Amino acid sequence: PGAMAPRTGGAGRQRSFGYVREPALGFFVAGSDIDDVNGVYFRVDPTTEPSGKATGHNFHLLYKSTKSNWLLGLAFAPEDGRYQTVGNMNTEWVFVDGQADRLAHEGETILPGAGDRWKHVRRPSRFHPGEFEHHHVDESMDNLPWQVVGIMDEERLRQLYNYQQHHLRLVRDALHAGESQRAALPAG
């Protein structure tokens, strides 16, 4: 009597999940060593976005980075069969660096996963195939986006964008202050 025993049974933390039926308004991406991959992406119209058309993809959904020329899109498999999609599906998610597909993820979902669900790919734009031939691609796991968060609320997306802009200003100001201090140091 009175002895302590480890707790057994009982209600633990419940885990729940839901289904997403609508595409995200944007994405917050983080965790990649490729700085331009990270950041806030806003949904754009794939039929009118010039940078989306320039990739040669037929996008179902397209998101544009607010701090770089990178795109994140759900693309249909190419009709000309110039490559196989990841998972050999009808669609795949791709990160495009402005010239070429750099990362790809299985499609058939309106929210991509994160981390090692992404694969390194080397696919130049079909409009600029020669520009990528000698481009070195680092296939480190550190390049993968380890956080890919779909943002479903417009106000939250705006907040994330404002936080990102504030952070970028702080970094820019700190770098500029460092340059000013170095310039003021005596030579020698």
Side-chain angles (χ1 to χ4, degrees):
M4 294 186 64
R7 180 176 169 204
T8 57
R13 183 175 149 164
Q14 287 188 345
R15 297 178 191 259
S16 62
F17 65 93
Y19 293 97
V20 176
R21 291 181 175 83
E22 297 295 322
L25 297 174
F27 282 93
F28 173 75
V29 178
S32 174
D33 273 359
I34 304 171
D35 189 53
D36 285 345
V37 170
N38 300 321
V40 177
Y41 288 73
F42 278 90
R43 188 171 172 187
V44 295
D45 183 345
T47 62
T48 60
E49 175 58 40
S51 56
K53 289 180 177 181
T55 67
H57 284 295
N58 179 13
F59 285 108
H60 177 65
L61 297 170
L62 184 61
Y63 300 84
K64 187 174 182 177
S65 172
T66 59
K67 71 172 199 168
S68 72
N69 65 340
W70 283 65
L71 301 171
L72 168 61
L74 179 62
F76 291 101
E79 292 178 7
D80 62 8
R82 67 185 183 273
Y83 65 85
Q84 284 289 333
T85 61
V86 171
N88 295 321
M89 298 181 162
N90 292 326
T91 61
E92 74 177 348
W93 283 94
V94 290
F95 275 103
V96 182
D97 72 359
Q99 293 182 21
D101 298 357
R102 294 280 301 274
L103 301 167
H105 179 291
E106 288 184 353
E108 308 302 317
T109 178
I110 58 174
L111 292 176
D116 60 5
R117 296 189 61 194
W118 287 89
K119 307 297 178 218
H120 292 276
V121 294
R122 296 178 185 181
R123 297 187 208 131
S125 161
R126 75 173 184 202
F127 299 119
H128 308 286
E131 294 179 15
F132 195 68
E133 288 176 10
H134 303 291
H135 186 68
H136 171 72
V137 176
D138 179 6
E139 294 192 0
S140 166
M141 295 287 281
D142 294 334
N143 291 344
L144 302 177
W146 290 93
Q147 295 179 30
V148 180
V149 181
I151 309 300
M152 310 306 276
D153 178 70
E154 192 171 326
E155 179 60 27
R156 185 67 180 142
L157 185 59
R158 193 171 310 124
Q159 287 175 344
L160 287 168
Y161 172 74
N162 289 336
Y163 294 149
Q164 174 186 274
Q165 295 307 105
H166 177 71
H167 173 75
L168 292 173
R169 275 191 301 276
L170 289 175
V171 169
R172 184 191 65 229
D173 292 349
L175 290 172
H176 180 68
E179 289 171 4
S180 299
Q181 290 173 352
R182 280 193 302 275
L185 293 175

